[in-house]
């Protein structure tokens, strides 16, 4: 039976000004839906980090530089991912969110498989662009659906459990890619008269789960929208006016995740190449090791952030959701500054684990923090803006800045570690300031929303 709100929904009071008491679905049904969205998001991440393991074969096959590769890993995906997020965010606020996710699954799966058959660098860019189109709808729709399945008091943990799929998915991407590259013969697979090299086979395997995911999503039903603050639909003008009124909150709240994304994506895009270039480690071994680190540390950090978020909210601590970010920065600042400078691979991997834990704590706080300070009918647009900044600065600029510093400042691929530090340090310090200075404005915005002033 598809998961819908049903008769066993729990009744919980809405925020003041929301138009009375409405039913949230039971937590049993909520967790079932979260589990499905978790699986879908996990598989959406499988292709995300694959190019990081394929720097050498892709550069060899297409004759590209580090900077050109950073375009493939970053902006080819990020520009479309973020640009499409804005119209998709609008649709999320007014259309069937489950069906939007179905569309996204079909597109990104097909384009991931297409990447495995690319015969030129241009075709590979087109494939990455197509993946960006498909994945752009997932996060705004998923966050919005979960917020309407889970009452506010439990939302931090629910969203953090869902967010775990991002961390484990990134780790699984590296782990799966490393295992495939290890198991495949160097000459690749021969299918009929077609020879598929290992890098092509890796992309194809990552895109194949699309059909099962579509069937799984058919079990999810569109939930009733809650916490609308009396606004049936919010126009772009309404949304922009709300941002302007609370600009002290939102430019901090929506910007700090972009800096964390830049650190995280810059690190993951180049960490495999760093360990290969500096320590001579086989790329398959690096992929498996990094995959385990990203999955385990990401899981630990994300669940820690969600638990702290709900606990501090229950204790009535000021800006509880946003306050969690400060814990993350305490781990991020030192580890991002020193991990590439360690004398051997083992302490590098250890500090990377600390860095991933910190980024997971701070980054996983963002979805719940954003959902809590926007009326329901603005949440899709808010998530789209959040992802726009994270995509442009994080997914796109993070990997590219590292490559630009390597190519044009140090001028030596062997200096990649110094490039990673040079890019990360100013970002961590700025992000820490954003989170510290944003605590009071965030609490003021939250209080205004509680009083029913959208």
């Amino acid at each position: 039976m598809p998961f819908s709100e049903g008769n066993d929904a729990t009744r919980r009071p809405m925020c003041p000004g929301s138009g009375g008491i409405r039913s949230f679905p039971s937590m049993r049904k909520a967790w079932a839906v979260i589990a499905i969205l978790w699986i879908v998001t996990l598989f959406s991440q499988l292709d995300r980090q694959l190019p990081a393991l394929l720097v050498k074969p892709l550069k060899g096959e297409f004759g590209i530089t580090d900077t050109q590769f950073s375009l493939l890993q970053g902006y080819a995906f990020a520009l479309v991912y973020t640009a499409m997020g804005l119209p998709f965010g609008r649709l999320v606020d007014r259309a069937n969110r489950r069906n939007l996710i179905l569309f996204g699954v079909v597109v990104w799966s097909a384009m991931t498989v297409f990447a495995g058959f690319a015969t030129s660098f241009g075709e590979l860019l087109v494939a990455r662009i197509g993946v960006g189109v498909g994945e752009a709808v997932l996060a705004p729709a998923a966050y919005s659906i979960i917020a309407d399945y889970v009452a506010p008091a439990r939302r931090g943990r629910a969203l953090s459990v869902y967010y775990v799929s991002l961390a484990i998915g990134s780790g699984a991407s590296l782990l799966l890619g490393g295992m495939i590259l290890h198991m495949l013969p160097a000459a690749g697979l021969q299918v009929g008269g077609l020879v598929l090299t290992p890098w092509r086979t890796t992309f194809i395997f990552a895109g194949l789960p699309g059909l099962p995911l579509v069937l799984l999503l058919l079990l999810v039903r569109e939930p009733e929208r809650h916490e609308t603050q009396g606004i049936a639909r919010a126009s772009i003008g309404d949304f922009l006016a709300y941002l302007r009124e609370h600009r002290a909150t939102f430019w901090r709240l929506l910007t700090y995740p972009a800096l964390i994304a830049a650190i995280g994506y810059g690190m993951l895009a180049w960490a495999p190449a760093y360990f290969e270039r500096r320590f001579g480690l086989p790329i398959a071994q690096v992929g498996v090791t990094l995959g385990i680190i990203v999955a385990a540390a990401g899981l630990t950090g994300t669940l820690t952030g969600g638990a702290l978020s709900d606990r501090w909210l229950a204790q009535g601590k000021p800006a509880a959701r946003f306050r969690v970010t400060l814990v993350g920065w305490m781990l991020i600042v030192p580890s991002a500054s020193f991990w590439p400078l360690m004398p051997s691979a083992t302490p590098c991997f250890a500090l990377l684990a600390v860095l991933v834990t910190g980024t997971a704590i701070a980054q996983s706080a963002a979805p719940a923090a954003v959902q809590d300070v926007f009326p329901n009918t603005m949440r899709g647009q808010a998530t789209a803006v959040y992802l726009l900044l994270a995509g442009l600065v994080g997914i796109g600029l993070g990997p590219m800045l590292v490559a630009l510093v390597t190519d044009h400042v140090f001028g030596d691929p062997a200096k990649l570690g110094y490039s990673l530090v040079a890019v990360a340090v100013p970002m961590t310090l700025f992000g820490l300031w954003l989170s510290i200075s944003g605590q009071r404005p965030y609490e003021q915005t939250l209080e205004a929303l509680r009083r029913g002033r959208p």
Side-chain angles (χ1 to χ4, degrees):
M1 177 182 291
F3 302 111
S4 58
E5 293 192 65
N7 294 323
D8 60 342
T10 57
R11 300 187 64 83
R12 299 183 183 276
M14 295 293 298
C15 294
S18 61
I21 297 177
R22 296 181 184 175
S23 299
F24 278 90
S26 69
M27 284 307 297
R28 177 180 61 85
K29 292 183 177 180
W31 284 118
V33 169
I34 291 170
I36 292 174
L37 295 175
W38 193 97
I39 293 170
V40 172
T41 303
L42 173 72
F43 280 99
S44 79
Q45 297 293 302
L46 288 185
D47 76 290
R48 190 71 67 87
Q49 300 301 332
L50 286 182
L53 295 177
L54 306 173
V55 175
K56 191 172 182 178
L58 291 178
K59 289 183 68 174
E61 179 140 353
F62 298 114
I64 58 177
T65 65
D66 276 1
T67 300
Q68 287 174 305
F69 176 81
S70 72
L71 176 65
L72 177 68
Q73 174 76 336
Y75 274 124
F77 173 88
L79 286 176
V80 178
Y81 177 77
T82 54
M84 293 302 297
L86 294 174
F88 280 144
R90 291 279 294 160
L91 286 174
V92 164
D93 288 336
R94 57 186 62 202
N96 186 296
R97 292 161 284 186
R98 191 280 308 271
N99 291 345
L100 290 174
I101 296 176
L102 283 172
F103 164 80
V105 170
V106 172
V107 172
W108 87 57
S109 299
M111 297 307 289
T112 301
V113 172
F114 174 67
F117 293 96
T119 58
S120 69
F121 183 63
E123 290 183 2
L124 201 54
L125 283 176
V126 169
R128 296 297 290 171
I129 289 170
V131 171
V133 172
E135 292 189 14
V137 71
L138 176 58
Y143 290 143
S144 182
I145 287 174
I146 293 171
D148 281 331
Y149 265 96
V150 182
R154 299 179 177 179
R155 195 172 290 155
R157 187 165 299 181
L159 286 170
S160 71
V161 169
Y162 167 73
Y163 200 88
V164 165
S165 61
L166 298 174
I168 293 182
S170 295
S173 177
L174 294 166
L175 180 61
L176 177 64
M179 292 176 63
I180 292 175
L181 291 172
H182 178 73
M183 291 186 296
L184 288 174
L189 296 178
Q190 185 166 351
V191 182
L194 183 65
V195 177
L196 298 176
T197 57
W199 74 262
R200 294 183 184 277
T201 306
T202 303
F203 274 119
I204 293 170
F205 281 177
L208 289 180
L211 180 59
L213 294 180
V214 167
L215 298 177
L216 190 61
L217 278 167
L218 293 177
L219 296 174
V220 177
R221 294 298 189 200
E222 179 75 0
E224 178 186 0
R225 292 182 183 268
H226 301 275
E227 299 168 293
T228 61
Q229 305 305 119
I231 304 173
R233 286 189 177 183
S235 66
I236 295 177
D238 294 331
F239 177 67
L240 293 177
Y242 188 68
L243 288 180
R244 284 194 299 270
E245 182 181 355
H246 301 282
R247 56 187 174 274
T249 296
F250 292 128
W251 87 266
R252 292 171 171 86
L253 178 62
L254 299 175
T255 300
Y256 96 84
L259 296 172
I260 293 179
I263 297 165
Y265 279 102
M267 171 195 70
L268 289 181
W270 290 108
Y274 166 78
F275 282 103
E276 183 183 36
R277 292 175 186 178
R278 185 178 177 198
F279 301 113
L281 298 179
I283 200 66
Q285 176 187 338
V286 173
V288 171
T289 304
L290 285 177
I292 294 172
I293 287 174
V294 171
L299 172 66
T300 301
T302 302
L303 293 181
T304 299
L308 282 176
S309 178
D310 281 350
R311 179 182 300 174
W312 287 350
L313 185 70
Q315 292 173 350
K317 293 187 182 295
R321 305 284 195 207
F322 196 25
R323 188 175 184 175
V324 174
T325 62
L326 301 178
V327 178
W329 285 116
M330 290 174 63
L331 301 178
I332 294 170
V333 173
S335 57
S337 303
F338 294 108
W339 80 265
L341 305 179
M342 294 294 101
S344 63
T346 299
C348 282
F349 281 125
L351 278 181
L352 267 177
V354 176
L355 176 55
V356 173
T357 302
T359 57
I361 290 173
Q363 194 72 290
S364 64
V370 170
Q371 300 296 310
D372 276 8
V373 290
F374 278 94
N376 185 296
T377 48
M378 296 182 186
R379 285 175 178 163
Q381 296 172 82
T383 303
V385 172
Y386 152 51
L387 294 175
L388 171 68
L389 295 172
L392 293 178
V393 177
I395 302 173
L397 189 60
M400 180 165 283
L401 276 178
V402 175
L404 289 172
V405 172
T406 301
D407 286 345
H408 301 291
V409 176
F410 295 110
D412 183 358
K415 301 293 186 181
L416 178 58
Y418 295 111
S419 301
L420 288 164
V421 174
V423 171
V425 169
M427 288 186 177
T428 59
L429 296 177
F430 183 42
L432 175 62
W433 177 82
L434 288 174
S435 292
I436 292 174
S437 64
Q439 297 297 305
R440 181 57 183 160
Y442 180 88
E443 182 63 22
Q444 291 172 340
T445 299
L446 188 60
E447 185 59 34
L449 197 63
R450 287 170 178 160
R451 293 198 302 266
R453 292 174 50 216

